[in-house]
Amino acid sequence: MKSSLYSTRGGSGRHWLSLLRSPWIGTGARIALAGVWCWAGWAMFLHPETSVYAVRAYRALPEGLVHAVGYGLPVLELALAVLLATGLMTRFAAALSALLLVAFLVAIIQAWARGMSIDCGCFGGGGAVDPGQTQYAREIIRDLAFLSLSVLLIRRPRTRLSVDAVLP
């Protein structure tokens, strides 16, 4: 006899595993990530000089790249938001999302390790803050959570209500 999604047979481990395989979980992950990238990208797109300032605050890139990254990042984030919201090229968008999140994690961790006092600038703002105002641990945990959503979509890109679902 096949166990249903809500069956208690097979232990709770199988129950949770089958829930993670649900296309609706992937749809939720896809829409959540789209919302995050839209929020972050739009905030920086409206104020690109703030984005450049936030990138510069990390002191991790040569000055020649700061403007390109500062102006390009909001556009990339908005493009990811569109791809994920529509469910077009989901695996590609999730992989790019994961790479971007890993880059953000590296940037935050190196700033923390170097004793810098900056706001991540992830959703606008950014730059130097008082040492007591840094929130590195929270930012790392947040980005790890978003990274887990990206990994889920890399592994299972077919979701409900997506363009990918209707393409061959």
Side-chain angles (χ1 to χ4, degrees), residues 26-138:
T27 303
R30 186 171 54 79
I31 298 303
L33 275 175
V36 167
W37 290 126
C38 184
W39 180 15
W42 189 249
M44 291 190 292
F45 187 79
L46 292 176
H47 304 285
E49 67 284 346
T50 305
S51 178
V52 171
Y53 181 72
V55 170
R56 183 177 289 120
Y58 283 94
R59 297 188 307 230
L61 294 174
E63 188 60 30
L65 290 177
V66 167
H67 280 84
V69 172
Y71 286 108
L73 196 54
V75 175
L76 176 60
E77 291 174 344
L78 289 171
L80 280 172
V82 168
L83 289 175
L84 289 165
T86 60
L88 178 63
M89 300 188 318
T90 303
R91 180 172 279 147
F92 169 77
L96 192 52
S97 177
L99 287 173
L100 197 52
L101 286 162
V102 167
F104 290 165
L105 283 163
V106 167
I108 293 167
I109 291 167
Q110 69 84 30
W112 195 3
R114 291 170 54 196
M116 300 170 71
S117 296
I118 59 174
D119 175 52
C120 76
C122 304
F123 300 96
V129 296
D130 290 329
Q133 292 181 311
T134 60
Q135 299 178 3
Y136 296 126
R138 190 173 94 175

